[in-house]
Amino acid sequence: MAKTRSAMRRKETMYGYIFVMPWIIGFLAFTAGPLLFSLFASFTDYNITSHMDFVGTENYQGLFTEDGLFWTSLWNTLYYVLFSVPLTTIGAIFLSALLNQDVPGIRVFRTLYYLPAVLSGVGVYLLWMQLLDPGTGMVNLMLGWVGIDGPNWLFDPNWTKPSLIFMKLWSVGGAMLLYLASMQGVSKTLYEAAEIDGANTFRQFFHITLPMITPVIFFDVVTSLIGGFQIFQEAYVMSSNGEGGPANSLLFYNLYMWRQAFENFNMGYAMAMSWILFIIVFILTMINLKLAPRWVHYEGGDNR
Amino acid sequence: MKKLYTIPAAFLASSLFLTGCAGFQTGNSNDSSTENEDGKVVLDFWTFWGSEIRRPVIEKIITDFNESQDEIEVQHTYLPWGDIWTKELAAIAAGDPPDVVINDINTTALRGEQNQAMNLAEFMSEDDISGQFYPELWEATLHEGDSYGVPFNTDTRVLFYNKDAFEEAGLDPEQPPTTWAELEEYAAKLDVKNGDDYERIGFYPLWGINYDVWMLNANGHNFINEENEVLIDTETNLETLEWLTGWKDKYGDDVINSYKAQIDSQQGNPFFNGSLGMYVSAPTFYTQIRDYADDLNFGVAKLPEMEPGNGNTSWGGGFVAEIPAGASNPEASYEFIKYLTGAEAQEYWAVQNFDSVANIEAAENAAQSDEFTEDGTMVYSMATEYMNDTLLTPVPVAAPDFMGSVNPKIDEVLLGSKTPKQALEEAQADVESLIEKNTRE
């Protein structure tokens, strides 16, 4: 009996490895080499074409002690992550709660709200640059109808990052779809029981719906946190000359790294930057994983 | 369990080794594909000219070259503006670069220093072509005395003004402003105000060009000189910046922003319908006037000088044709570059694209071309003549992105959160420490 069980165990382990194989092969063949190479090169003055001499921790020291723009870019990125992650998560949950109602035409609404998630890239950014134009843009025009004198959005350093966060909120449709799918999977019997006990809609939402979708919230928070730290394109396209202006307010971490790598050809320096970012994101993700058992509810699971 | 890890570990180690080596492989990749079946040398020529206007022109030049001799066959590869140079860099690192590539003139010396572009001294010593080009352009390609690219095209910044508006305002349409003071005076006369709104704005210096062009105009030299001395916090720059903020205060943010949006939309440029009296732009702005406002009665002039005798310095950029380091057939590449930057090809390019070219003879011939209209000839010949007052801003090798430390400070001045003096002092200090850091050891 014990023997067959261990044989089964081994078989399961093997299946497990087979299933993760595509990822492992891809990782080893395409990612691992460059990854380790960048770690090594971050201790050199690598510039791609002419030199790669070992400089010890000079790149890292320079970043922390001499590079003001490094801190500016780190601060800008943190600001963006700090606001965009909670706001887009709450926005997506709110939206999916609305779109989970059984009203006529709900499919049309779902499609409409999902649509921005399908559109992506530079086209959307250019569209938003027009919408947010202080003089002729739609957003300030509509604010004007209700008597609000709209800000200068992408031209005012205090409003540039909020502008990008608004733009992100507009495209929460992607996450909304995940929440919606998860909400539809919540058993009707739970709501029926709650109703018999006299719980109102709000209590049902906070005590049934939210706990039941926590695994998806967890997934969304972790992935959008990582994605948030990687923000690049938005700033590259929407800031003045792709430089991170006005007044460096859109100089995000990856944009600065890109400038170091491809404008100054300080590839070693840029690689050191990428490893610092990796460590920051890694620590935050670890904290997330540690905290997860306290609030994430897996149905039928033993809190794994 | 132990066994399980050995294979991936070996794999990791080997891939690390392989990628580590690839970084230095800038040598030749002498594969057979560089020759075709007729025994001709095949060159791969990378440009970002894919538009329906430019592509046929460059391809005609290539065809002409291919037909003019039977040794070399050039093939054109179009790559989008956004990634041509990052792709080129990757190709150089991989040891299989294109044979000729069009790149930015202001960063040529940097690519020379970094060993991305091939030193042309070897070809120059036998066949010196430097005399064919505007000296300012040629100098921009030099690093430690050797050239790393041959100038192809260029541009400058000129003042366009509306002659009808001049007449209306009681100004002589044949006498454009020549100094900053006149510019202010004329602009004030051209302004037409209706209540709080402007029906016409005379001039605003930061549409079309940026503050750095005005500083170049005032100084007659770049922010960083040959000895890596930083010349940002200077009396002239301070005056310039104060002059610029004066304009900003005069018209106010709302007016400036709404005009700016119209200018950015191209077709709606307020200069076309007469609601902007004067505008600074590259000579190619003429093609927009031609296309969107054909009957506009306009003139072109040099940028006004700060004070009489100070000089009408303007700013220009441009592109070079260069041979990436590690290209397989540099002699053939150089042959093609010579054709590309020679008088015949350059004149064809100039006339077809209404673009300023680097070859002096070609530029002067193009200015006489009867394919241009009267206005076209006026703009083109003025721009050609103006090349002598036009400076480039080659990036200093010691701090290629120093403008990244200056621009944000000036932004803050124009946003009103710093005084010009503060901003220039801070920018000066930041750029000095950047250079100090980069030139240490």
Side-chain angles (χ1 to χ4, degrees):
Chain A
M1 190 64 188
K3 214 174 186 180
T4 47
R5 185 182 279 171
S6 84
M8 215 169 98
R9 251 265 162 66
R10 208 173 308 145
K11 210 171 176 186
E12 273 190 354
T13 317
M14 204 182 71
Y15 280 138
Y17 279 117
I18 290 172
F19 280 122
V20 294
M21 222 17 145
W23 185 84
I24 290 180
I25 291 173
F27 178 74
L28 291 178
F30 300 114
T31 320
L35 202 71
L36 290 175
F37 175 68
S38 81
L39 177 61
F40 170 68
S42 72
F43 294 100
T44 70
D45 62 354
Y46 182 51
N47 76 341
I48 308 176
T49 41
S50 61
H51 49 76
M52 187 176 186
D53 303 318
F54 191 74
V55 294
T57 55
E58 195 182 284
N59 288 334
Y60 292 92
Q61 276 172 7
L63 277 169
F64 284 114
T65 57
E66 290 180 275
D67 194 341
L69 291 180
F70 166 76
W71 292 107
T72 310
S73 68
L74 193 60
W75 157 246
N76 283 338
T77 312
L78 277 176
Y79 177 110
Y80 173 78
V81 171
L82 223 57
F83 284 95
S84 77
V85 173
L87 285 175
T88 51
T89 308
I90 293 168
I93 294 172
F94 178 69
L95 198 61
S96 54
L98 288 182
L99 295 176
N100 197 24
Q101 306 305 315
D102 204 7
V103 292
I106 193 70
R107 279 154 196 264
V108 177
F109 287 116
R110 283 178 188 164
T111 313
L112 278 180
Y113 280 101
Y114 184 66
L115 220 51
V118 181
L119 306 168
S120 66
V122 176
V124 170
Y125 307 149
L126 293 178
L127 177 78
W128 272 90
M129 284 168 79
Q130 291 191 359
L131 289 175
L132 290 173
D133 189 281
T136 53
M138 198 70 152
V139 173
N140 276 4
L141 182 71
M142 286 169 79
L143 287 175
W145 290 341
V146 289
I148 300 172
D149 191 11
N152 276 331
W153 300 112
L154 291 166
F155 299 95
D156 180 345
N158 297 319
W159 280 98
T160 46
K161 287 185 283 284
S163 302
L164 292 198
I165 294 167
F166 285 136
M167 188 178 84
K168 284 284 140 184
L169 276 175
W170 173 74
S171 57
V172 292
M176 178 272 290
L177 199 67
L178 291 178
Y179 288 119
L180 194 58
S182 159
M183 282 180 187
Q184 305 239 304
V186 179
S187 167
K188 287 269 182 291
T189 53
L190 293 172
Y191 294 108
E192 279 161 13
E195 219 162 293
I196 291 165
D197 288 346
N200 63 21
T201 321
F202 280 102
R203 296 194 65 158
Q204 284 181 24
F205 178 77
F206 283 107
H207 291 281
I208 299 172
T209 315
L210 264 191
M212 295 301 279
I213 62 168
T214 46
V216 181
I217 298 180
F218 177 62
F219 170 80
D220 186 29
V221 167
V222 171
T223 51
S224 57
L225 191 84
I226 295 172
F229 272 102
Q230 292 173 345
I231 179 168
F232 170 76
Q233 280 185 34
E234 289 83 347
Y236 188 57
V237 175
M238 297 172 78
S239 72
S240 45
N241 2 324
E243 244 186 14
N248 274 344
S249 60
L250 288 181
L251 183 71
F252 290 117
Y253 197 88
N254 277 3
L255 184 61
Y256 184 50
M257 185 161 82
W258 185 88
R259 254 167 60 177
Q260 285 292 356
F262 294 104
E263 281 178 22
N264 295 350
F265 308 117
N266 285 335
M267 199 51 90
Y269 197 75
M271 284 168 170
M273 283 187 75
S274 72
W275 276 89
I276 292 169
L277 184 65
F278 173 74
I279 289 163
I280 294 171
V281 174
F282 186 79
I283 291 172
L284 287 175
T285 309
M286 278 299 136
I287 293 173
N288 255 329
L289 285 169
K290 277 274 173 259
L291 290 177
R294 298 179 183 215
W295 61 276
V296 179
H297 171 79
Y298 287 103
E299 209 181 354
D302 42 7
N303 267 349
R304 272 193 298 173
Chain B
M1 214 48 193
K2 218 175 184 180
K3 216 174 183 180
L4 208 70
Y5 284 122
T6 42
I7 297 173
F11 200 89
L12 266 177
S14 64
S15 57
L16 176 63
F17 178 73
L18 287 173
T19 42
C21 291
F24 295 106
Q25 230 171 46
T26 51
N28 296 1
S29 60
N30 278 323
D31 46 24
S32 52
S33 67
T34 57
E35 265 186 31
N36 69 2
E37 62 271 21
D38 307 332
K40 285 189 189 176
V41 176
V42 178
L43 296 182
D44 190 13
F45 173 42
W46 286 15
T47 78
F48 47 83
W49 292 315
S51 72
E52 53 186 299
I53 299 166
R54 301 217 151 176
R55 191 168 191 152
V57 179
I58 191 67
E59 290 187 344
K60 169 81 166 57
I61 292 174
I62 294 169
T63 312
D64 287 350
F65 173 73
N66 287 341
E67 283 165 4
S68 73
Q69 41 73 46
D70 48 14
E71 305 278 305
I72 304 164
E73 163 122 2
V74 177
Q75 286 170 357
H76 179 215
T77 305
Y78 157 70
L79 289 148
W81 167 259
D83 54 8
I84 178 167
W85 299 322
T86 38
K87 282 196 167 127
E88 184 208 350
L89 189 58
I92 294 169
D96 188 20
D99 296 288
V100 179
V101 68
I102 298 293
N103 212 321
D104 171 30
I105 193 166
N106 278 322
T107 48
T108 312
L110 178 66
R111 287 189 303 279
E113 193 247 2
Q114 303 264 331
N115 195 22
Q116 292 176 21
M118 198 174 276
N119 189 333
L120 302 179
E122 177 195 337
F123 307 109
M124 281 303 149
S125 60
E126 289 166 26
D127 189 5
D128 190 349
I129 55 170
S130 60
Q132 300 176 17
F133 307 98
Y134 290 102
E136 174 69 17
L137 298 176
W138 186 259
E139 269 156 38
T141 70
L142 303 180
H143 174 61
E144 293 178 348
D146 291 340
S147 173
Y148 288 85
V150 181
F152 181 80
N153 60 348
T154 181
D155 61 5
T156 180
R157 295 296 177 277
V158 297
L159 182 78
F160 286 84
Y161 65 98
N162 186 326
K163 286 187 175 174
D164 289 344
F166 264 54
E167 214 147 338
E168 227 181 278
L171 295 163
D172 181 351
E174 301 311 320
Q175 297 289 320
T178 57
T179 61
W180 288 11
E182 276 181 14
L183 191 60
E184 277 176 274
E185 186 196 324
Y186 289 17
K189 284 189 184 155
L190 287 163
D191 283 340
V192 178
K193 219 173 173 183
N194 184 0
D196 276 342
D197 293 330
Y198 280 92
E199 275 176 12
R200 181 168 68 216
I201 282 185
F203 181 68
Y204 182 68
L206 295 175
W207 292 330
I209 54 172
N210 217 334
Y211 72 91
D212 50 342
V213 178
W214 289 109
M215 289 187 182
L216 189 73
N217 171 276
N219 288 317
H221 59 71
N222 284 317
F223 287 137
I224 298 176
N225 71 11
E226 301 257 311
E227 284 78 43
N228 283 335
E229 211 180 321
V230 183
L231 305 164
I232 291 172
D233 184 18
T234 63
E235 201 52 44
T236 316
N237 284 343
L238 184 64
E239 262 179 68
T240 308
L241 206 48
E242 278 164 353
W243 183 70
L244 291 172
T245 49
W247 286 95
K248 196 167 170 76
D249 296 340
K250 176 185 167 190
Y251 289 115
D253 283 337
D254 290 345
V255 174
I256 291 168
N257 286 334
S258 77
Y259 264 70
K260 181 84 172 68
Q262 294 174 48
I263 290 169
D264 289 345
S265 76
Q266 294 212 353
Q267 287 98 321
N269 193 314
F271 187 74
F272 298 154
N273 64 12
S275 49
L276 176 62
M278 295 179 277
Y279 180 62
V280 175
S281 189
T284 43
F285 180 65
Y286 158 72
T287 60
Q288 289 181 40
I289 299 179
R290 184 190 64 199
D291 296 344
Y292 304 127
D294 199 21
D295 44 8
L296 191 74
N297 183 15
F298 71 98
V300 274
K302 294 181 174 187
L303 294 190
E305 52 190 344
M306 191 182 196
E307 270 145 18
N310 199 46
N312 306 75
T313 312
S314 184
W315 173 79
F319 296 96
V320 292
E322 68 188 24
I323 311 173
S328 325
N329 294 296
E331 285 87 13
S333 298
Y334 187 68
E335 274 310 306
F336 174 59
I337 288 178
K338 269 200 321 196
Y339 183 84
L340 197 62
T341 57
E344 189 191 338
Q346 290 261 294
E347 188 185 332
Y348 182 71
W349 173 273
V351 172
Q352 297 301 314
N353 286 327
F354 197 82
D355 196 21
S356 300
V357 287
N359 188 303
I360 300 174
E361 188 192 335
E364 282 169 0
N365 287 344
Q368 315 284 323
S369 169
D370 32 300
E371 288 199 36
F372 291 153
T373 60
E374 201 179 315
D375 282 345
T377 307
M378 169 184 76
V379 177
Y380 199 95
S381 53
M382 187 268 156
T384 303
E385 199 193 302
Y386 201 20
M387 282 314 294
N388 298 321
D389 293 321
T390 302
L391 292 185
L392 268 66
T393 46
V395 299
V397 171
D401 73 335
F402 79 98
M403 286 305 279
S405 302
V406 185
N407 286 336
K409 306 288 180 203
I410 308 297
D411 283 350
E412 287 182 75
V413 173
L414 296 172
L415 291 159
S417 56
K418 271 206 171 84
T419 67
K421 184 73 193 146
Q422 268 177 330
L424 290 175
E425 274 171 7
E426 288 177 21
Q428 170 90 15
D430 285 359
V431 175
E432 274 174 1
S433 69
L434 189 65
I435 289 184
E436 201 269 321
K437 184 181 157 202
N438 290 347
T439 52
R440 204 181 299 157
E441 98 239 295

